[in-house]
Amino acid sequence: MRNGRLFMRVDLRVKHDIEAKKAAIELFERGHGSESAAKALSVPRDTVRQWLYVYRSFGSEVLLSMDGKQARYTYEQKVAAASAVVDGGMSKRDAMEAFGVMSLAPLKRWCALYREGGAEALRPKPKGRPSGSKARPRTREQELEERRRRLETEVAYLKKLRALVERDGL
């Protein structure tokens, strides 16, 4: 809620219908790459490149069934896929197929994290405030500083209001 109004979050990402994906599959089957397919379909190159990865790794059925929702992966899946690429020299496309990774972006991110910090870097991060931690009580100085700022703001508002009243003769 902002300024007393309820705002709904709107997903502004462009979603491409199944017909665009079917047309892309036809172009892929005729030997087109992502760039030429993107131009032919008037779809962003990165989107078509992602479709091509999924198509080559999993086939047309999976590409057509993708609904734009993010897939969830286990810690073990992430470590195995990143290790296969970084340590084992497996191609990213082969790793996507072998470990059921539906998008290149998370695999790239996992590989980067794995290179930096090993398997531990891929562990899920705890959500929320750590257990046992509490909000610290404010000091007397902090309370007084906040009160001073509030009073200064109020005085400035009242001065403006007084000037308006004097100007308009109310």
Side-chain angles (χ1 to χ4, degrees):
M1 202 178 238
R2 240 185 278 159
N3 296 334
R5 295 184 188 149
L6 182 64
F7 285 93
M8 304 242 348
R9 235 177 155 195
V10 178
D11 187 1
L12 298 175
R13 292 176 293 176
V14 175
K15 302 271 195 285
H16 301 285
D17 64 3
I18 196 131
E19 296 306 316
K21 290 181 183 179
K22 285 180 182 177
I25 290 169
E26 287 179 24
L27 291 170
F28 298 154
E29 288 173 349
R30 284 194 256 147
H32 287 266
S34 58
E35 282 199 40
S36 64
K39 285 179 186 174
L41 300 169
S42 296
V43 173
R45 245 187 338 213
D46 290 338
T47 300
V48 176
R49 188 177 298 126
Q50 176 64 32
W51 291 352
L52 183 57
Y53 261 100
V54 171
Y55 171 75
R56 286 181 177 164
S57 300
F58 303 105
S60 58
E61 298 83 27
V62 173
L63 177 58
L64 292 173
S65 69
M66 288 175 58
D67 58 2
K69 293 181 182 170
Q70 274 190 336
R72 301 275 183 221
Y73 303 100
T74 64
Y75 166 73
E76 292 77 16
Q77 217 175 351
K78 294 175 186 180
V79 172
S83 174
V85 171
V86 174
D87 299 333
M90 182 183 279
S91 74
K92 289 183 177 103
R93 192 178 106 204
D94 291 342
M96 285 174 65
E97 183 177 355
F99 299 101
V101 180
M102 300 299 287
S103 176
L104 182 60
L107 182 58
K108 283 182 175 180
R109 188 173 55 253
W110 302 338
C111 290
L113 288 169
Y114 185 81
R115 281 186 194 97
E116 289 174 18
E120 284 303 307
L122 296 172
R123 283 217 181 271
K125 306 292 184 272
K127 305 276 189 244
R129 186 177 293 185
S131 60
S133 70
K134 295 179 182 174
R136 290 186 216 149
R138 293 184 311 169
T139 65
R140 177 78 174 143
E141 290 81 19
Q142 289 170 328
E143 288 175 4
L144 290 172
E145 179 64 23
E146 182 181 331
R147 186 169 182 212
R148 182 190 62 79
R149 274 193 235 117
R150 193 173 48 247
L151 289 171
E152 284 178 353
T153 304
E154 188 176 330
V155 167
Y157 171 76
L158 290 172
K159 283 181 180 178
K160 280 189 175 187
L161 187 60
R162 182 177 177 186
L164 287 173
V165 167
E166 288 174 0
R167 185 190 75 194
D168 294 339
L170 298 175

